[in-house]
Amino acid sequence: MFVNRRAELKILHSAYESLKRGEKVNVAIIGPRRIGKTELLLKFKEEVNGVVPYLNLQRIGSLESFIFAYTRELLYEIAKVVGMSIERSDLLTWDDLLILSAKLDLEREVKAIRDGTLETLFEMQEAILEKTGQKAVFILDEFQEVVNFKGFLETMRAVTEKQRNIAYFISGSAVRMMEEILAPKNPFFGQFKRVYLRGLPKEDTIELAKTTLERAGIEATHSALELIYKLTQGHPFYVLALCRRLIEEGFEKVKSRDVYYAFLTELLSEKGDIYMHLEYLFNESLSRAYKGPIHKQILLILAQEEGLRLSEIARRLNKPSGEVSNYLKFLLRTDLILKQGERYYFTDKLMRFWLAKTYLGITELELRRERFLEELVRELEEKYLKAKKELGIAKEAMIRERMREIFDIDFKPYRRGDVEFDGVAFRDGVYVLEIKWRNRPATYKDVKDFIRKVKGEFGSATMFFFSRSGFTEKAKELCEKEGVKMLTPKDLGIS
Ligand SMILES: Nc1ncnc2c1ncn2[C@@H]1O[C@H](COP(=O)(O)OP(=O)(O)O)[C@@H](O)[C@H]1O
Ligand SMILES: [Mg+2]
């Protein structure tokens, strides 16, 4: 069952339409593990008729096998589109591909690929598409893996920039994608429209949970469903794991209390899918950051107390700031923590809770103890899910919501390294939203800083500036001069 992702699917479809009109748009789907990147890309593939090869790079070990698998998927898709009946399982060797290519009158091109380099592959791909009159979208899932192939990005960039018959939809995790592939210093900067994938909205989360439970013959109260959303924050994998646990536990009518119990079991006992996922993520992330006891120690400190500064962490570790700064740099290159201003936070609140609790070695028996369960629930809700900085964010969320309703622009919070925006939307171009919720009018300087930040990050963009208390005269003039659209609560029908 697939829910929502309407805005994201719209972006993918419109990129596909642009390609067919001769204007290539590449898209990068960026988000944490198991948030639904693959599901989204496959949904798009399912919805279109055309040459849309799909490759998951995580399953590919070497450049040679990449070239083979890439060619195979491309030919397979072309064969399908021209109405040939063919099984993927018949395409296991280069000889199999050559037989197929002969039928497609592409033998010369495929031979060249077999005997050539990565560059040959991309060049021949264009020739093949030209010859067959096809426009293709190649989906490269877990694209970040290509950084393991030396020189891949440079080669791909140099060749694909000129290509007109193919667009790429890629997926990857936030940090590696942004730092290693799409950052300004790297070859692909500016080549991809970025789409950030987050948890599902409330209604869709509830629909997913409700349907999943109903299929197993289980009913759930409305407050239980609301609670599922609150605890999982709409993360589809967490939702499904929690539902599976509820089904396995054999409830007939699920109430809030059962949800708490099932969720904590999923999260904190070793048999839980969420537990296993977090453990995997934790170990995998740390192995990239040169796993060391200090890195773990820092994470444990932050699990207990978030939002610490470098100096505070150094003090707790009893180590010089310079040294700790290096550890933190490594940790920031995992997707585990992020830096906001001068402070460090966990990216995933549940990861934080999991870490804090599992290091204490909670057992299943304890989870069955009513009092203990209640304590954990209270702590989870009060300390972990309700992070302080979110209080101010509620207003921003409301404004983004109104922007979506009124202008049909789906703004999402944006962060890349130190650069942050209250809302960014990618459509035919970039849209950026600034929100000032203050008791005094926005000033010339506020507007000027915003424009400078937008230009630095995106070059050009359509800019919206929301100010709760209006604008000074000089700010208004600047907005008009620079084409910044001014918004006040009245424009959005809020007070
Ligand atoms: N839109 C959705 N509707 C329903 N289930 C979803 C949706 N997106 C993801 N899921 C489920 O969540 C899990 C993780 O999704 P997946 O696409 O594999 O994540 P990713 O590729 O980001 O790691 C899968 O079990 C998938 O079925
Ligand atoms: Mg995936």
Side-chain angles (χ1 to χ4, degrees):
M1 179 200 178
F2 183 87
V3 299
N4 187 276
R5 302 301 191 202
R6 284 177 289 272
E8 291 83 0
L9 279 168
K10 209 163 126 193
I11 293 175
L12 298 181
H13 282 289
S14 99
Y16 188 42
E17 292 309 315
S18 307
L19 172 75
K20 289 198 246 172
R21 283 199 310 270
E23 188 196 323
K24 178 173 73 166
V25 181
N26 300 313
V27 184
I29 306 290
I30 300 168
R33 219 177 261 276
R34 301 224 167 140
I35 197 73
K37 300 181 292 298
T38 301
E39 202 78 13
L40 170 68
L41 289 166
L42 290 178
K43 183 73 181 172
F44 164 77
K45 178 170 161 55
E46 187 190 304
E47 285 181 353
V48 299
N49 290 315
V51 181
V52 185
Y54 168 93
L55 208 54
N56 185 339
L57 294 175
Q58 209 154 40
R59 304 212 189 95
I60 299 208
S62 67
L63 192 56
E64 289 71 43
S65 51
F66 172 81
I67 292 175
F68 175 77
Y70 193 104
T71 312
R72 185 191 58 205
E73 293 309 313
L74 181 66
L75 292 179
Y76 176 75
E77 286 288 316
I78 291 176
K80 238 177 36 186
V81 165
V82 302
M84 238 177 239
S85 80
I86 172 126
E87 295 293 329
R88 212 189 247 103
S89 54
D90 291 335
L91 302 175
L92 298 176
T93 63
W94 278 110
D95 284 342
D96 298 337
L97 294 192
L98 285 170
I99 293 169
L100 174 60
S101 67
K103 290 186 204 154
L104 292 165
D105 189 24
L106 297 170
E107 214 173 2
R108 197 183 59 78
E109 289 80 1
V110 173
K111 270 202 179 116
I113 296 175
R114 184 194 61 186
D115 302 331
T117 60
L118 185 63
E119 210 167 338
T120 324
L121 170 68
F122 288 129
E123 274 163 7
M124 286 301 124
Q125 164 180 255
E126 188 72 358
I128 288 171
L129 292 170
E130 200 64 55
K131 201 163 160 184
T132 52
Q134 299 290 339
K135 301 264 188 193
V137 171
F138 213 116
I139 299 177
L140 295 170
D141 207 357
E142 305 284 354
F143 185 73
Q144 64 216 327
E145 297 300 315
V146 301
V147 301
N148 299 326
F149 303 150
K150 206 165 170 294
F152 186 103
L153 292 175
E154 289 74 12
T155 307
M156 183 173 170
R157 165 68 204 273
V159 187
T160 59
E161 205 182 3
K162 295 175 239 124
Q163 302 182 330
R164 285 291 151 258
N165 295 310
I166 181 119
Y168 295 93
F169 291 177
I170 65 178
S171 85
S173 87
V175 172
R176 298 197 84 194
M177 201 70 149
M178 302 309 300
E179 282 207 346
E180 305 190 28
I181 298 168
L182 303 176
K185 64 176 175 8
N186 293 328
F188 272 123
F189 180 67
Q191 295 290 300
F192 284 81
K193 180 178 271 212
R194 303 170 199 162
V195 176
Y196 289 85
L197 215 54
R198 297 190 162 71
L200 297 163
K202 188 164 161 185
E203 315 83 76
D204 300 293
T205 304
I206 288 181
E207 187 198 330
L208 179 61
K210 192 165 184 258
T211 314
T212 307
L213 291 171
E214 268 170 10
R215 284 185 186 164
I218 298 175
E219 256 185 86
T221 64
H222 188 70
S223 56
L225 291 169
E226 296 241 339
L227 184 59
I228 292 178
Y229 172 69
K230 187 169 145 200
L231 294 171
T232 61
Q233 326 247 301
H235 194 305
F237 173 75
Y238 295 165
V239 175
L240 293 175
L242 174 51
C243 289
R244 273 197 302 274
R245 174 66 48 201
L246 286 164
I247 293 166
E248 204 171 294
E249 295 281 334
F251 295 110
E252 276 168 21
K253 172 127 185 146
V254 171
K255 295 187 285 303
S256 294
R257 207 196 159 280
D258 310 328
V259 173
Y260 278 126
Y261 169 72
F263 183 71
L264 288 172
T265 305
E266 265 302 307
L267 190 61
L268 300 180
S269 81
E270 284 176 30
K271 66 180 178 188
D273 286 342
I274 301 182
Y275 179 102
M276 281 191 273
H277 166 69
L278 291 173
E279 182 174 54
Y280 171 81
L281 209 63
F282 181 69
N283 288 326
E284 202 240 14
S285 307
L286 276 193
S287 68
R288 254 194 277 122
Y290 304 154
K291 184 181 204 156
I294 312 261
H295 295 108
K296 259 193 191 158
Q297 232 176 312
I298 292 175
L299 290 171
L300 280 171
I301 289 171
L302 286 173
Q304 297 301 327
E305 191 177 355
E306 261 199 330
L308 296 174
R309 296 164 194 271
L310 167 63
S311 59
E312 294 165 323
I313 297 170
R315 200 173 321 126
R316 282 169 176 70
L317 285 168
N318 213 357
K319 290 199 180 297
S321 293
E323 188 186 330
V324 176
S325 162
N326 283 328
Y327 297 134
L328 282 166
K329 276 193 196 122
F330 273 126
L331 286 173
L332 283 171
R333 301 193 60 230
T334 71
D335 281 313
L336 294 176
I337 64 166
L338 53 86
K339 188 177 171 189
Q340 244 184 354
E342 290 304 311
R343 297 172 184 281
Y344 295 86
Y345 298 88
F346 268 85
T347 314
D348 183 339
K349 294 170 187 167
L350 290 182
M351 169 65 88
R352 181 180 169 220
F353 185 73
W354 174 81
L355 196 58
K357 294 301 156 197
T358 51
Y359 270 76
L360 300 176
I362 285 170
T363 64
E364 210 179 303
L365 215 63
E366 286 172 303
L367 284 176
R368 294 198 179 269
R369 271 177 32 214
E370 191 94 8
R371 279 270 305 282
F372 187 64
L373 193 68
E374 274 167 21
E375 255 168 55
L376 276 177
V377 164
R378 188 152 20 84
E379 204 179 339
L380 175 66
E381 291 191 330
E382 285 171 14
K383 179 167 166 188
Y384 291 84
L385 292 181
K386 202 192 289 164
K388 278 187 224 79
K389 59 189 169 116
E390 287 229 322
L391 295 174
I393 292 174
K395 281 274 184 289
E396 294 180 8
M398 176 183 76
I399 290 165
R400 283 191 294 266
E401 181 66 26
R402 291 298 290 154
M403 293 297 288
R404 192 157 64 87
E405 287 163 8
I406 297 173
F407 299 102
D408 192 29
I409 307 175
D410 194 13
F411 284 107
K412 302 258 163 71
Y414 176 98
R415 183 185 308 123
R416 187 180 66 78
D418 287 343
V419 183
E420 265 184 68
F421 291 103
D422 298 326
V424 172
F426 299 96
R427 309 204 315 172
D428 38 340
V430 185
Y431 292 71
V432 189
L433 171 68
E434 169 76 10
I435 300 171
K436 288 267 183 268
W437 191 266
R438 294 187 311 212
N439 292 325
R440 54 191 167 81
T443 63
Y444 180 86
K445 184 170 180 307
D446 292 332
V447 177
K448 200 171 125 224
D449 290 348
F450 172 57
I451 295 172
R452 179 161 355 98
K453 207 166 66 159
V454 171
K455 291 198 169 148
E457 183 72 0
F458 301 112
S460 73
T462 308
M463 294 176 273
F464 290 88
F465 198 121
F466 174 94
S467 170
R468 182 192 187 185
S469 311
F471 298 80
T472 64
E473 279 310 313
K474 278 181 75 187
K476 268 186 207 161
E477 273 167 34
L478 183 58
C479 282
E480 273 154 22
K481 181 163 149 267
E482 297 280 341
V484 177
K485 298 178 186 16
M486 288 173 276
L487 296 165
T488 57
K490 212 173 90 212
D491 299 317
L492 300 185
I494 51 182
S495 51

